[in-house]
Amino acid sequence: MSYDLDGLSVLVVENEFLLALNLETIMRDAGAGLIELAASVADATKLIAATKFDAAILDIRLMDGDSLPLAVELIGQGVPVVIHSGHANLGHSQIVPDAVFLPKPSTPAEIVQAVLKARGVSGSFELAAHA
Amino acid sequence: MTAIRTGVSSLTKGQFVEEQSIQEPEMRAQLDFPVVGVGASAGGLEAVTSMFQNIESGTGMAFVLVMHLDPHHESMMAELLSSKTQISVRQIADNDHIEPDCLHVIPPGSSLRIEGKKFRLDKFSEPRGLRRPIDSFFTSLAQVQGEKAACVVLSGTGGDGTAGLRTVKEFGGISAVQSPEEARYDGMPFSAIGTKLVDFTLPAIDIVPRIKAFFDGADKSRFPENTHAAERVLREIFSMLKQSVGIDFSGYKRSTLLRRLNRRLQLKEIAEVENYLLDLAKDKDEQAALAGDFLINVTSFFRDRENFELLRQAVIVPLIEGRDASDEVRIWVPGCSSGQEAYSIAMMIDETCVELQRRPLVQIFATDIDEPMIDQARRGVYPVSMMSEMPRRYQEAYTVSLDERFEVLPRIREMVRFSAHNIIQDPPFSKVDLISCRNMLIYLGDELQEGVLPLFHFSLRPGGHLFLGTSESVTKRKDLFISLDQRARIFRRNDSARRVPLNLPLSLSTNESGANRGLQRLAQEEDFPRHSSLGSSNSTIYEFYAPPFLRVTQDGRIIDSSGDLSLFMMSRPGADRNIDILAREGVYEVIAPLIKDASATGERQAMKDVEVASQFGVQSTDIVAHPMPDETIAIIFLPKDRLKPVVDQFAVRPVTRDRQIATLQDDLQKTRLQLKSKVEEIETANEELKSSNEEMMSMNEELQSANEELTTANEELKNKIDELTLANADLDNFLQSSDLAMIVLDRGLKIRHVTDAARRMVPVMRSDEGRMLSEFNIPFGEFDVMSEARKVIETGASFSITTQANQNGQSFFLRITPYFFADGAVEGASVTLINISQEVELRQNLSLESKKLQLAMRAARMGSWDTNLETGEMEIDAVAAQLSGLDGAGTVNRDAFFTHMHTDDAQELARLRDGSVSVNEGYSFQVRFVKEGEEMRWVQLHAKPYTARDGSRRVAGLGFDVTELMTLQRALELESTRRELAMRAGRMGIAELDVESGEVIVDEMMAEQLALPSHGAIPLTNLTNSFVEDDAQLFQQNLQRAIEHDEEYELDFRIDADGEDLRWVRTRGLPYKALDGRRKVVGPTLDVTAEKQQSMLLDEMSHRIKNLFAVISGLVQAAPKEHEETKQMADELVERIVSLSRVYDLARKDVSANGLDLEELLKSVLEPHRSDQSMELHGPAVQIDPELVNTFTLIVHELTTNTAKYGAFSNSEGSLTVNWSVDETGMVAIEWCEKVPGFQEPGPHSGFGSLLIESGIRQLRGKFARSFSQDGAIIEFTVSAGE
């Protein structure tokens, strides 16, 4: 993988363990440096307070509530946010218009592209690289 | 004019003179309020107006206006004046009472006097021209009112009023005169002022207030009660006057002086006599004025005429009879004042001389203390008003008229010698035959009277007479005089009386008066008893015993004289007269050089045997001129021999020369006869001339008086014209402002006057006045004005008519009234026009409107009726009759109206009507009329009670058929009920919002659904009380947007009511505009909790499935991949799972559909792999059967993977076109066409992907074909879309 996530710190908030693991793998494969995982709003809030992330991938429905306030907080800090959810709707995009929305499930390439897009980096990638 | 003649120092200290026997002229007034006489003539109306215009009631004075009025015309004076003053004005009638605060005006042609507190009117006794109404009234006023009389002389020519003013003053009244500068004619004011007796000279307007102030203060005594104190004051005044004026009043009667002093203070408006004394000491003019007041005495010609006549008979005639031409008659008139008394006596003597044809030398010595009076007397000129004092024969014989004055003939004047002389201190005349001293003693105190009477006795020669005033007597010294005629006060000298030693002068002065000539010495009480003065005695001695002499200045002015100079000088020389004028013939020629020589040489000069001729004869005399130390020259006449009388010369002439003389005597006799006849002729001519002159004079006077009267009449007329002009202007203004259209016609129906308003209605101009009314086209339609006007003039009865509209559409109300003259005769007619076109038009319009209303009611099938509540009679029209099922319009009984009415309605209506009528209110009701054989009809009634003009109570009503309306209403009600039932059945709530008011009307169902406490109207804000907060916001936004854009909305929201589960409610809203224009939103609600729960369950399931996809793909990725092949397989597997998951998502969204749209499916799979390449999808709508979706998705996914790897999506320049079609069997043919520049045909490989495609197509009972070219690949396949 030759995507330029080199050295970026990424926060992954996902309460489904397997999916969190998978996202971590994808980010690592894409060259991310620090990758922190959180399964609840509470955990995520602590991490945000401690670290300034370069990007964040958030599932909406978490065990202790939905993550949109978190997204608002992050965007307020200037952290690019990707919402990775199976049931995002128009109402959500109104609350955090600057977030990039990504359906669930998505291919690893789509996930990396969404992160890049959120960071304002445009560019194409080729599936062929994976073939 | 008047004077004083005394000055005596004869009072004992502090003693008042109380003399009862001699009456003073002042007396008590008959009326207890002051009466003010006002005299006016030409220009008088203006002056009187000015005088009274500001006078209000409450003056307490009566006013009497006397004017010169034309005796032949009614006077308008009273009428004119009454409009100009607030006090009442009345023209006097005979026997009228005198009332205060009233202006009494003299009527024309009468002389006015007051008698017994009433006015008396007399015919004039004098001819026109000699009438003196003002004088005669003033005189009467003075005699009746005394101190309470005032006279006012206003504008006028001539001198009427002057003599009367004098009388008023004499009797103690006051006098005022209009300022001559202000008066239009200043003759009367100037004449009055000439008397020097006027108290006030003021502008007319100030006169009444001043007189009022005077009388208001009249009752106040300004003197101390204490007689001693009063005496002290008087003495101080006497002392002052003695110093300044040189007259000693101390011997004057106190009561008179005090009264006059008091009056003086009143005039000066000074309250305290002490203050007056201070003023008096400083003011010389006031001293003179006070002295003048003290001296007031009135004299007149032949005062007490009958007494004069008696004097003539008893004294004068015998006196003249007893004297011949050479004898001297000496008469003394002391206190002669302005000379009338002296002239009266002179006239009588002259008359007697003529009668008796004797002419002794008559010398009348008239003396007075007052020098200005003497000057006046010497002139012998008097106001013409005084002429009437003389008997007619004297007027004609001895006066010459000069305009407003007359002059005493020089012949008479020459008989009288006037000189200043103080009886009290100057030596008396001697050898006097008659002393006439009238009305002087009354002013003297007892002591002085006692002193004066012996003096008179001394002066009179034996047998001489004394003539006194009517209220005077000699009682003080009865021993000296014997009464000859008690009534006439004629006394004869008692020759047997012991000659009393005379102390002359009667008073002596230790102080020389500064103001008067040295010879006037003033008495002082301290000098009493008297002792003689050497100087005076000497002069008496010179006078009687020394040769006559003169003292002259070097230029011939005589300074004084002594002795009888009548033989040498023309009259007794007084002071300041020139010797050259007075010296008799032959004297002056001698004296002049003597004086010259004497003064030149300073030595005595003499001339001997000078013959001096006079009418008495020739006297031989020596004349000595003796220069005196003071440079005057004394001229002494030393008569020698006896007087050679003229007759002596004839007598001693020798009678010789016989014939010649006889002839001469004959001639002389003839000549004398001729002369006599000539003289008689001349005398006759002279008499004729005289009588012509008299006639001319009287004519002149008549003219003068006519002129006066005309001027007054003219003034009256002018004022009347002013009033008429004003009245005319008032009338004009009235006509103008009332806009009264009036035509005045005379008896001949000629137009006399047309008002402005009338000219606007009829074509008559102002210049047409005087033309016949019939000449004009008077726009009264058919109406004949002429004949009606004629009838009115004949019968004197008014007539009025309303005319028909003429061609201009004008109608008139026309009234013809007779025109009455002042005497009540009908002198024409006045035609009054009132244009009533508007009213007529209004009436027509009203009837038109009424007709229109009837038509409209008929058209609207509206019936009307009118019920008389008292009689129960009801008038109904045709429609109402039809509505109520009656036969036709007309009057019916009220009960008939109810015949066909539904019984319930009839009862209810009767109840409603009675209730409404009792409170006088209108009412409305719907009733049913049921008539057999007809359908039932609904009728709406409206009625209102009212009171008719005749006072009856009535009800007016109208009604119309509302059956159709009622039917429709019924239908609507039914429809509404139905809808409500439907809503209830569907458990739907409904609400309606009024946008403007923000109020929502909520039904029961909705209230339940929204957990509202009640249904009905609630504010919009309360509607969402139980909404979940976010939803409430969302609802408001939706509602707002819907209202703004006028569009429908639909929204689901949650209700979170206490004690209930969360519920979902769905609502829709539709904005609309109501009939009344209000904006509203209406919408139903429906409980959708069940549906929502189901949908949420589905969502949850879907979520879990998708998570399952994610977990699976995660598992695949997470599994360790040692080989690249494994890794690739895992990647492909993940991508297939992702595609399937997305298509699943598509399918889930439209569960209800029969399948999945082909185009949607293609897009869903292809899009994630496309970057910016072009892609076109064409084909009909095709639904893929849900059972086949997974298979179809996998096929498309595999094709897409290849496209991404090798085909159109592998290169940014690539493009993909997918076309499809469906045949009748339901088979879908798809053409997948890729174009890629530099396309490399892939090698044949048969991986799992190919396997999937092949087995998939097979399962779908389709075919698959693929071809490659340089440009790309074309894949064609068919599949079955489902059953």
Side-chain angles (χ1 to χ4, degrees):
Chain A
M1 305 272 280
S2 57
Y3 313 122
D4 197 6
L5 293 188
D6 283 348
L8 294 183
S9 57
V10 178
L11 171 66
V12 174
V13 185
E14 173 61 71
N15 63 342
E16 196 70 52
F17 160 71
L18 269 174
L19 296 184
L21 200 63
N22 192 23
L23 285 171
E24 185 188 4
T25 309
I26 293 167
M27 288 299 108
R28 182 153 297 130
D29 289 350
L34 174 67
I35 300 166
E36 292 285 0
L37 297 181
S40 68
V41 177
D43 291 347
T45 307
K46 281 180 202 158
L47 289 170
I48 289 167
T51 312
K52 169 87 162 60
F53 293 97
D54 293 322
I57 301 170
L58 310 179
D59 186 13
I60 292 179
R61 268 168 76 165
L62 300 175
M63 285 178 299
D64 57 351
D66 81 37
S67 66
L68 287 174
L70 214 53
V72 172
E73 169 72 21
L74 284 165
I75 287 169
Q77 289 182 2
V79 179
V81 171
V82 173
I83 303 289
H84 184 229
S85 169
H87 42 274
N89 61 26
L90 192 66
H92 298 140
S93 67
Q94 279 176 358
I95 295 169
V96 275
D98 292 337
V100 171
F101 281 78
L102 188 66
K104 202 182 202 179
S106 293
T107 61
E110 288 170 335
I111 291 168
V112 173
Q113 192 185 21
V115 172
L116 288 171
K117 192 179 170 191
R119 284 184 54 76
V121 179
S122 68
S124 61
F125 62 96
E126 289 172 13
L127 288 175
H130 299 276
Chain B
M1 348 213 136
T2 308
I4 257 345
R5 356 185 129 168
T6 13
V8 176
S9 61
S10 59
L11 286 177
T12 49
K13 289 180 184 174
Q15 183 184 349
F16 266 31
V17 179
E18 290 303 334
E19 170 57 76
Q20 301 306 323
S21 60
I22 296 179
Q23 292 300 314
E24 300 156 66
E26 286 102 330
M27 36 81 71
R28 189 153 287 281
Q30 288 186 10
L31 294 161
D32 53 6
F33 49 85
V35 178
V36 180
V38 182
S41 187
L45 180 56
E46 179 186 298
V48 175
T49 303
S50 164
M51 181 170 162
F52 287 100
Q53 63 190 1
N54 291 337
I55 306 307
E56 294 173 13
S57 280
T59 57
M61 301 186 278
F63 299 93
V64 182
L65 174 62
V66 180
M67 295 189 80
H68 295 149
L69 299 170
D70 183 342
H72 305 301
H73 280 94
E74 279 297 306
S75 170
M76 293 176 283
M77 197 57 71
E79 188 193 337
L80 288 170
L81 286 173
S82 61
S83 64
K84 285 166 181 157
T85 178
Q86 295 188 29
I87 62 173
S88 60
V89 180
R90 213 173 294 161
Q91 181 162 311
I92 298 164
D94 199 18
N95 267 328
D96 271 1
H97 283 278
I98 304 167
E99 286 172 26
D101 285 323
C102 179
L103 174 57
H104 304 271
V105 181
I106 193 171
S110 296
S111 150
L112 180 68
R113 65 192 162 88
I114 301 177
E115 187 183 288
K117 304 188 181 182
K118 288 179 179 177
F119 286 116
R120 295 309 304 264
L121 293 171
D122 303 309
K123 283 280 154 230
F124 282 114
S125 52
E126 300 88 350
R128 221 171 150 188
L130 291 179
R131 292 169 186 170
R132 301 270 150 199
I134 301 175
D135 280 341
S136 63
F137 176 72
F138 281 1
T139 304
S140 164
L141 175 66
Q143 286 163 355
V144 171
Q145 282 295 91
E147 288 184 308
K148 287 199 172 172
C151 63
V152 179
V153 176
L154 300 176
S155 169
T157 59
D160 195 9
T162 302
L165 181 143
R166 183 189 307 281
T167 319
V168 169
K169 289 292 291 180
E170 183 190 0
F171 281 85
I174 59 165
S175 60
V177 171
Q178 183 182 19
S179 310
E181 304 82 48
E182 186 197 63
R184 175 157 298 192
Y185 297 94
D186 57 10
M188 282 181 14
F190 268 130
S191 173
I193 290 166
T195 62
K196 299 185 181 171
L197 294 176
V198 173
D199 296 313
F200 315 117
T201 302
L202 292 170
I205 196 167
D206 296 330
I207 290 175
V208 177
R210 193 64 202 266
I211 292 176
K212 180 168 162 29
F214 174 82
F215 283 117
D216 284 350
D219 297 333
K220 250 184 282 171
S221 172
R222 290 162 176 79
F223 291 98
E225 291 295 321
N226 184 311
T227 53
H228 286 280
E231 179 61 23
R232 188 186 54 75
V233 167
L234 278 181
R235 265 189 243 150
E236 204 168 318
I237 290 171
F238 295 155
S239 155
M240 246 185 272
L241 295 182
K242 203 154 58 177
Q243 291 278 336
S244 59
V245 189
I247 300 174
D248 182 1
F249 290 101
S250 54
Y252 278 50
K253 210 189 269 180
R254 291 297 190 268
S255 54
T256 312
L257 295 187
L258 279 178
R259 194 159 46 234
R260 290 188 173 172
L261 180 59
N262 196 39
R263 204 174 135 286
R264 192 76 209 156
L265 297 189
Q266 246 173 279
L267 289 171
K268 299 284 283 181
E269 296 180 340
I270 294 172
E272 292 295 328
V273 73
E274 298 295 338
N275 293 339
Y276 180 69
L277 287 180
L278 292 176
D279 285 357
L280 188 66
K282 282 180 278 184
D283 188 348
K284 292 276 179 207
D285 291 342
E286 180 56 27
Q287 290 168 357
L290 179 64
D293 269 8
F294 280 174
L295 291 177
I296 290 175
N297 186 19
V298 175
T299 179
S300 63
F301 289 102
F302 299 94
R303 187 174 186 179
D304 313 313
R305 206 180 280 185
E306 50 298 350
N307 292 0
F308 269 86
E309 186 56 31
L310 286 169
L311 177 72
R312 195 175 79 90
Q313 289 165 10
V315 178
I316 292 177
V317 171
L319 186 62
I320 302 299
E321 269 174 345
R323 304 289 161 92
D324 57 26
S326 61
D327 288 334
E328 195 183 12
V329 173
R330 286 166 70 92
I331 295 171
W332 183 22
V333 184
C336 69
S337 186
S338 44
Q340 286 95 321
E341 189 181 334
Y343 285 131
S344 299
I345 290 171
M347 288 174 195
M348 286 200 303
I349 288 176
D350 188 77
E351 183 195 34
T352 310
C353 289
V354 170
E355 273 174 16
L356 300 177
Q357 298 202 334
R358 281 173 181 275
R359 193 155 284 282
L361 175 63
V362 178
Q363 302 226 60
I364 300 173
F365 306 104
T367 63
D368 201 292
I369 197 168
D370 195 349
E371 284 210 61
M373 281 295 162
I374 291 293
D375 286 343
Q376 207 175 329
R378 231 174 244 144
R379 280 193 293 273
V381 175
Y382 300 94
V384 82
S385 57
M386 291 183 184
M387 205 194 279
S388 57
E389 296 167 356
M390 289 179 219
R392 190 85 186 154
R393 61 180 194 274
Y394 295 117
Q395 292 178 21
E396 287 164 9
Y398 300 114
T399 63
V400 176
S401 284
L402 316 158
D403 291 336
E404 286 304 317
R405 331 207 105 216
F406 70 89
E407 190 180 28
V408 177
L409 281 188
R411 181 152 54 94
I412 302 297
R413 292 216 308 274
E414 278 169 14
M415 289 167 70
V416 185
R417 294 182 185 170
F418 289 99
S419 60
H421 176 275
N422 187 337
I423 194 171
I424 293 162
Q425 53 198 59
D426 292 341
F429 291 80
S430 60
K431 296 181 200 161
V432 173
D433 296 298
L434 168 65
I435 294 174
S436 172
C437 178
R438 311 198 72 225
N439 297 315
M440 186 188 84
L441 295 182
I442 50 172
Y443 295 101
L444 301 183
D446 286 358
E447 294 287 335
L448 267 187
Q449 285 186 31
E450 268 183 64
V452 167
L453 289 173
L455 191 136
F456 288 165
H457 187 264
F458 165 81
S459 288
L460 290 170
R461 66 171 70 181
H465 292 86
L466 175 64
F467 183 32
L468 292 180
T470 47
S471 39
E472 293 164 327
S473 75
V474 294
T475 42
K476 296 283 171 222
R477 296 301 299 265
K478 284 180 194 154
D479 54 323
L480 299 180
F481 297 95
I482 301 158
S483 174
L484 197 67
D485 186 320
Q486 180 60 38
R487 191 161 57 87
R489 297 284 195 264
I490 302 171
F491 305 90
R492 203 180 58 208
R493 182 175 186 268
N494 183 359
D495 298 333
S496 61
R498 189 174 54 88
R499 190 147 177 166
V500 205
L502 266 186
N503 284 326
L504 285 177
L506 292 179
S507 63
L508 276 181
S509 170
T510 51
N511 302 344
E512 282 293 295
S513 162
N516 275 283
R517 288 173 304 165
L519 60 98
Q520 258 187 339
R521 287 184 196 82
L522 300 174
Q524 283 195 342
E525 292 169 34
E526 296 85 72
D527 296 338
F528 211 78
R530 315 163 196 133
H531 48 85
S532 61
S533 149
L534 189 63
S536 288
S537 302
N538 286 349
S539 69
T540 309
I541 294 165
Y542 300 151
E543 182 75 34
F544 292 102
Y545 306 105
F549 65 86
L550 285 171
R551 214 146 57 85
V552 297
T553 59
Q554 291 178 1
D555 52 4
R557 192 162 52 83
I558 299 169
I559 294 167
D560 55 22
S561 67
S562 171
D564 184 0
L565 284 162
S566 56
L567 290 174
F568 313 105
M569 307 299 288
M570 297 256 235
S571 64
R572 185 193 173 86
D576 298 336
R577 300 183 74 175
N578 268 330
I579 196 162
D580 53 351
I581 300 168
L582 295 172
R584 288 198 184 273
E585 193 185 336
V587 174
Y588 177 70
E589 294 81 351
V590 176
I591 289 177
L594 278 181
I595 294 171
K596 208 170 153 194
D597 291 350
S599 64
T601 61
E603 287 172 13
R604 260 192 316 171
Q605 304 289 327
M607 182 70 80
K608 291 183 84 80
D609 300 329
V610 179
E611 300 247 305
V612 183
S614 68
Q615 72 264 48
F616 313 116
V618 177
Q619 174 74 53
S620 174
T621 185
D622 293 346
I623 300 176
V624 179
H626 191 116
M628 305 299 282
D630 61 356
E631 298 199 337
T632 59
I633 315 288
I635 296 170
I636 302 114
F637 297 91
L638 301 166
K640 296 168 100 176
D641 308 331
R642 265 176 53 89
L643 174 72
K644 284 175 240 158
V646 183
V647 282
D648 287 358
Q649 292 173 1
F650 290 112
V652 297
R653 195 175 293 170
V655 186
T656 51
R657 293 182 230 167
D658 318 333
R659 289 187 68 85
Q660 198 180 349
I661 290 170
T663 314
L664 285 171
Q665 275 178 338
D666 281 350
D667 288 348
L668 183 62
Q669 189 63 30
K670 278 181 206 156
T671 314
R672 274 190 181 151
L673 286 173
Q674 278 174 351
L675 182 64
K676 198 181 171 199
S677 82
K678 287 289 177 206
V679 166
E680 277 169 3
E681 272 173 41
I682 289 168
E683 271 176 2
T684 312
N686 205 20
E687 282 304 313
E688 278 170 17
L689 278 173
K690 259 169 109 178
S691 77
S692 312
N693 189 31
E694 288 299 318
E695 271 175 48
M696 298 278 279
M697 263 171 65
S698 87
M699 267 169 67
N700 184 27
E701 275 156 9
E702 247 178 82
L703 285 172
Q704 172 81 28
S705 129
N707 189 29
E708 289 277 328
E709 289 161 4
L710 282 174
T711 311
T712 307
N714 188 26
E715 273 177 62
E716 284 184 354
L717 285 174
K718 268 200 318 216
N719 267 272
K720 202 68 201 168
I721 287 170
D722 286 350
E723 283 183 8
L724 276 176
T725 309
L726 194 67
N728 234 352
D730 285 350
L731 201 60
D732 272 355
N733 276 305
F734 165 71
L735 287 174
Q736 206 79 33
S737 64
S738 69
D739 213 24
L740 188 66
M742 190 162 85
I743 304 172
V744 181
L745 303 174
D746 66 9
R747 282 195 75 87
L749 300 182
K750 286 202 193 97
I751 297 170
R752 185 181 290 150
H753 184 76
V754 182
T755 64
D756 290 349
R759 279 205 294 280
R760 289 195 291 273
M761 293 188 200
V762 298
V764 180
M765 293 190 291
R766 186 143 272 178
S767 58
D768 292 332
E769 287 173 3
R771 292 173 64 187
M772 295 291 290
L773 182 61
S774 53
E775 293 175 45
F776 299 94
N777 176 25
I778 305 296
F780 300 148
E782 297 299 303
F783 176 65
D784 183 1
V785 189
M786 301 304 291
S787 67
E788 285 303 338
R790 207 168 283 128
K791 223 180 285 173
V792 166
I793 291 171
E794 279 161 18
T795 61
S798 302
F799 170 84
S800 56
I801 191 175
T802 305
T803 67
Q804 298 293 316
N806 60 13
Q807 64 264 34
N808 300 331
Q810 288 176 312
S811 312
F812 293 97
F813 176 74
L814 196 133
R815 180 196 289 279
I816 306 178
T817 47
Y819 185 101
F820 294 107
F821 258 24
D823 58 4
V826 178
E827 278 304 321
S830 43
V831 181
T832 313
L833 298 170
I834 299 167
N835 189 337
I836 54 165
S837 309
Q838 270 190 324
E839 287 79 353
V840 169
E841 197 183 322
L842 266 177
R843 210 180 300 153
Q844 284 168 351
N845 287 347
L846 193 64
S847 92
L848 195 65
E849 288 301 320
S850 166
K851 269 182 203 149
K852 277 190 197 163
L853 185 65
Q854 277 175 12
L855 279 174
M857 282 178 67
R858 198 165 299 156
R861 295 201 49 72
M862 238 178 228
S864 68
W865 66 88
D866 189 58
T867 311
N868 185 327
L869 289 171
E870 282 139 43
T871 63
E873 275 183 355
M874 191 172 187
E875 285 167 38
I876 58 171
D877 68 1
V879 179
Q882 198 191 347
L883 286 174
S884 57
L886 298 174
D887 289 338
T891 307
V892 298
N893 191 288
R894 185 158 58 173
D895 297 340
F897 188 66
F898 290 89
T899 313
H900 301 292
M901 201 181 290
H902 195 285
T903 329
D904 297 349
D905 294 349
Q907 281 175 2
E908 183 65 14
L909 177 61
R911 201 180 53 73
L912 182 63
R913 181 195 60 207
D914 293 346
S916 300
V917 166
S918 68
V919 294
N920 201 25
E921 274 179 5
Y923 57 94
S924 300
F925 196 53
Q926 282 176 355
V927 297
R928 286 163 289 177
F929 282 104
V930 190
K931 197 177 181 187
E932 215 167 309
E934 285 178 20
E935 277 181 30
M936 186 187 82
R937 301 208 68 79
W938 283 94
V939 174
Q940 172 77 47
L941 305 179
H942 297 285
K944 190 164 171 51
Y946 70 100
T947 305
R949 273 202 222 162
D950 61 6
S952 62
R953 294 286 296 153
R954 302 178 83 94
V955 173
L958 60 82
F960 48 92
D961 194 318
V962 290
T963 312
E964 275 177 47
L965 206 62
M966 292 301 286
T967 314
L968 271 175
Q969 195 178 328
R970 282 295 150 97
L972 194 64
E973 275 170 14
L974 196 61
E975 192 55 38
S976 174
T977 313
R978 275 191 199 128
R979 200 192 54 172
E980 205 171 312
L981 280 171
M983 295 279 291
R984 206 171 295 159
R987 292 196 60 76
M988 284 176 84
I990 191 154
E992 190 175 59
L993 164 70
D994 186 312
V995 174
E996 276 81 22
S997 70
E999 189 174 70
V1000 195
I1001 297 168
V1002 179
D1003 75 351
E1004 221 170 324
M1005 183 62 71
M1006 185 185 279
E1008 186 187 318
Q1009 286 168 355
L1010 300 190
L1012 294 172
S1014 66
H1015 65 281
I1018 57 166
L1020 177 63
T1021 45
N1022 289 0
L1023 190 72
T1024 56
N1025 278 351
S1026 300
F1027 280 36
V1028 169
E1029 199 181 330
D1030 290 350
D1031 293 355
Q1033 262 180 12
L1034 214 54
F1035 173 74
Q1036 293 289 5
Q1037 285 166 8
N1038 273 284
L1039 182 62
Q1040 207 56 46
R1041 196 163 48 236
I1043 290 167
E1044 274 166 25
H1045 299 103
D1046 198 22
E1047 63 188 18
E1048 205 177 337
Y1049 69 92
E1050 182 180 318
L1051 181 74
D1052 292 351
F1053 53 87
R1054 288 160 292 172
I1055 295 293
D1056 186 10
D1058 290 342
E1060 284 181 29
D1061 292 337
L1062 201 69
R1063 280 189 287 106
W1064 280 91
V1065 176
R1066 174 168 298 154
T1067 185
R1068 298 174 80 90
L1070 180 64
Y1072 77 104
K1073 218 169 232 181
L1075 284 177
D1076 59 2
R1078 297 176 77 85
R1079 302 193 62 205
K1080 301 202 170 180
V1081 180
V1082 70
T1085 51
L1086 186 63
D1087 193 315
V1088 291
T1089 310
E1091 287 95 317
K1092 276 286 172 187
Q1093 281 171 349
Q1094 217 175 340
S1095 147
M1096 278 168 66
L1097 199 60
L1098 202 62
D1099 278 354
E1100 189 54 34
M1101 291 301 294
S1102 161
H1103 179 72
R1104 288 188 190 166
I1105 288 165
K1106 283 172 80 178
N1107 255 5
L1108 203 55
F1109 277 117
V1111 169
I1112 290 165
S1113 74
L1115 273 177
V1116 173
Q1117 283 178 55
K1121 302 160 196 88
E1122 281 149 25
H1123 302 289
E1124 183 62 26
E1125 215 169 280
T1126 322
K1127 191 175 179 319
Q1128 190 185 340
M1129 196 184 74
D1131 282 349
E1132 286 174 3
L1133 194 56
V1134 166
E1135 283 177 13
R1136 283 181 194 117
I1137 289 167
V1138 166
S1139 282
L1140 279 173
S1141 142
R1142 292 204 176 128
V1143 173
Y1144 164 77
D1145 222 14
L1146 272 182
R1148 186 191 63 85
K1149 276 176 186 160
D1150 197 358
V1151 182
S1152 61
N1154 294 327
L1156 199 59
D1157 184 71
L1158 172 61
E1159 190 175 342
E1160 290 289 315
L1161 188 150
L1162 287 170
K1163 265 192 202 162
S1164 163
V1165 179
L1166 280 165
E1167 274 304 334
H1169 295 275
R1170 186 172 76 100
S1171 46
D1172 44 7
Q1173 296 87 354
S1174 88
M1175 180 175 82
E1176 290 179 35
L1177 306 174
H1178 299 293
V1182 175
Q1183 302 292 318
I1184 308 295
D1185 190 293
E1187 297 296 325
L1188 307 177
V1189 164
N1190 280 351
T1191 312
F1192 196 83
T1193 303
L1194 284 173
I1195 292 167
V1196 173
H1197 174 79
E1198 290 312 316
L1199 290 174
T1200 305
T1201 305
N1202 285 339
T1203 303
K1205 273 186 190 163
Y1206 319 108
F1209 292 174
S1210 67
N1211 185 316
S1212 60
E1213 300 296 315
S1215 69
L1216 172 69
T1217 308
V1218 182
N1219 295 314
W1220 68 91
S1221 59
V1222 189
D1223 68 7
E1224 63 280 5
T1225 65
M1227 290 300 288
V1228 180
I1230 297 162
E1231 185 194 50
W1232 182 292
C1233 182
E1234 298 187 42
K1235 286 197 174 147
V1236 193
F1239 175 69
Q1240 296 287 315
E1241 186 182 337
H1245 69 284
S1246 54
F1248 180 64
S1250 301
L1251 183 66
L1252 270 177
I1253 292 172
E1254 276 169 27
S1255 52
I1257 293 288
R1258 197 163 49 242
Q1259 194 178 343
L1260 294 176
R1261 297 190 299 271
K1263 291 177 186 152
F1264 184 84
R1266 180 184 342 214
S1267 63
F1268 301 102
S1269 71
Q1270 233 177 330
D1271 296 333
I1274 296 173
I1275 297 152
E1276 290 170 306
F1277 62 97
T1278 58
V1279 287
S1280 162
E1283 295 309 313

